[in-house]
Amino acid sequence: MDELIRVSEEVATALADGGAVVALETTLVAHGFPAPAGIEVGLASERAVRDAGATPATIGVLDGRVVVGLTAGELERFTPDARKLGPRDLAVCAAQDAVGATTVGGTLVAAAAVGIRFMGTGGLGGVHRGFPTPPDVSADLGACARTQAVIASAGVKSLLDVPATMELLETLGVPVLGYRTDTLPLFYSAHGGPQVSARVESAEEVAHIADAHWRLGGNALLVGRPPDESLEVEPLIEAAIAAARVQGVAGQQVTPFVLAYLHEHSDGRTRAVNRDLIVANAGLAGEIATAFARL
Ligand code: PSU
Ligand code: MN
């Protein structure tokens, strides 16, 4: 067994058989929902991946190791005091024997190390509003530029500067595919986003495009799937960002703060939409991984 990375038997077998495997993150489990709701979201996402014929591999750092394929019992250790791990943080967390929840970028690092090329999440990180004050750009983007992966999402998080993020994705060579839509979903909201770089109609089509993109030396592809229930909460998002600023919330804490603020001030409506879109995106990632395994 690898000393640094522990791959569950189920995931290792699926990978060895060339089967469909989908990586899932733990940041949204530990920091995306009021505890312990994130655990349920994580488990429901795993079920959605299985229903699509793929094997889920939920990823996090525990007991000094990067774990690929957490058990339900292990998932319960991802409480709000878990560290939030971007690409820079995994090695430190493992070496210091802390519990660490991986972001999209952190999850991609571990997934690439074991050969997983599909993942599902809520929304990708990106350029924060007001750039360059603060000069905050999610490390998710750097990971996308470096890693061969398809990321099924509800677009980029709407608390960001979405058009700027879209521009940066182009700069980094990341195709942004609209799943049965011409515009990038805005996380809670299906409408009003910038044009995607291409529209796709099926998981099979995404699999074909990913295969071609990787043969041409490309890295990540972002797939944007509109949430089934669209929520228009822009004024609330602005209030949340303003509250974060007033309270001096910065860096890695911004996203969890804003999500918690929205959940609190929307009577839980953002929380319900957020949960459902994460689970649906996991299912779509499963369909894409399954289609790719059949190519
Ligand atoms: N989507 C959600 N909830 C979340 C996130 C995404 O529905 O909590 C997390 C992801 O882990 C993403 C991270 O990678 O937010 C981005 O954080 P930052 O902007 O600090 O890089
Ligand atoms: Mn950041």
Side-chain angles (χ1 to χ4, degrees), residues 129 231-242 261-262:
R129 294 185 192 181
L231 208 57
E232 313 308 324
V233 284
E234 178 57 27
L236 209 50
I237 292 170
E238 276 163 31
I241 294 170
Y261 185 101
L262 295 175

Side-chain angles (χ1 to χ4, degrees), residues 25 27 84 103-104 122-123 128 138 140 157 187 255 259 274 278:
E25 58 157 301
T27 287
K84 177 174 167 180
T103 63
V104 171
H128 283 259
S138 175
D140 287 356
K157 285 177 298 183
F187 199 53
T255 296
L259 293 176
N274 199 349
I278 287 168

Side-chain angles (χ1 to χ4, degrees), residues 23-69:
L24 298 171
E25 58 157 301
T26 35
T27 287
L28 59 85
V29 172
H31 306 297
F33 293 86
I39 311 279
E40 188 277 329
V41 181
L43 294 175
S45 299
E46 291 189 355
R47 279 196 300 277
V49 170
R50 287 187 200 284
D51 289 346
T55 302
T58 303
I59 290 174
V61 173
L62 275 185
D63 304 325
R65 304 174 82 184
V66 178
V67 182
V68 179

Side-chain angles (χ1 to χ4, degrees), residues 17-293:
D17 293 348
V21 180
V22 172
L24 298 171
E25 58 157 301
T26 35
T27 287
L28 59 85
V29 172
H31 306 297
F33 293 86
I39 311 279
E40 188 277 329
V41 181
L43 294 175
S45 299
E46 291 189 355
R47 279 196 300 277
V49 170
R50 287 187 200 284
D51 289 346
T55 302
T58 303
I59 290 174
V61 173
L62 275 185
D63 304 325
R65 304 174 82 184
V66 178
V67 182
V68 179
L70 291 162
T71 64
E74 287 170 336
L75 203 58
E76 302 212 351
R77 292 176 60 191
F78 289 83
T79 52
D81 52 358
R83 290 188 192 177
K84 177 174 167 180
L85 307 183
R88 69 168 188 195
D89 306 308
L90 267 83
V92 178
C93 186
Q96 295 182 342
D97 202 358
V99 178
T102 51
T103 63
V104 171
T107 302
L108 288 178
V109 169
V114 300
I116 300 174
R117 295 199 283 185
F118 302 89
M119 87 167 282
T121 186
L124 190 72
V127 182
H128 283 259
R129 294 185 192 181
F131 185 88
T133 45
D136 188 350
V137 178
S138 175
D140 287 356
L141 295 185
C144 283
R146 294 187 298 269
T147 318
Q148 287 191 344
V150 174
I151 303 156
S153 69
V156 304
K157 285 177 298 183
S158 42
L159 60 117
L160 302 170
D161 181 336
V162 177
T165 303
M166 190 68 199
E167 288 294 338
L168 200 44
L169 285 166
E170 179 180 2
T171 304
L172 298 173
V174 178
V176 178
L177 308 178
Y179 186 74
R180 299 176 182 161
T181 177
D182 295 315
T183 58
L184 186 66
L186 297 175
F187 199 53
Y188 301 117
S189 170
H191 316 288
Q195 289 289 122
V196 291
S197 65
R199 176 187 173 118
V200 293
E201 301 298 336
S202 68
E204 287 71 26
E205 192 181 358
V206 177
H208 273 290
I209 292 170
D211 181 51
H213 187 61
W214 294 336
R215 282 175 193 230
L216 293 168
N219 286 318
L221 304 93
L222 182 69
V223 179
R225 179 194 185 282
D228 294 317
E229 189 195 338
S230 182
L231 208 57
E232 313 308 324
V233 284
E234 178 57 27
L236 209 50
I237 292 170
E238 276 163 31
I241 294 170
R245 217 162 261 175
V246 169
Q247 293 181 39
V249 178
Q252 285 192 323
Q253 271 68 55
V254 173
T255 296
F257 177 92
V258 169
L259 293 176
Y261 185 101
L262 295 175
H263 295 161
E264 216 171 286
H265 290 78
S266 69
D267 282 330
R269 281 182 307 141
T270 56
R271 177 178 150 180
V273 170
N274 199 349
R275 179 220 178 260
D276 292 350
L277 67 82
I278 287 168
V279 175
N281 295 340
L284 177 58
E287 287 174 37
I288 296 166
T290 301
F292 187 87

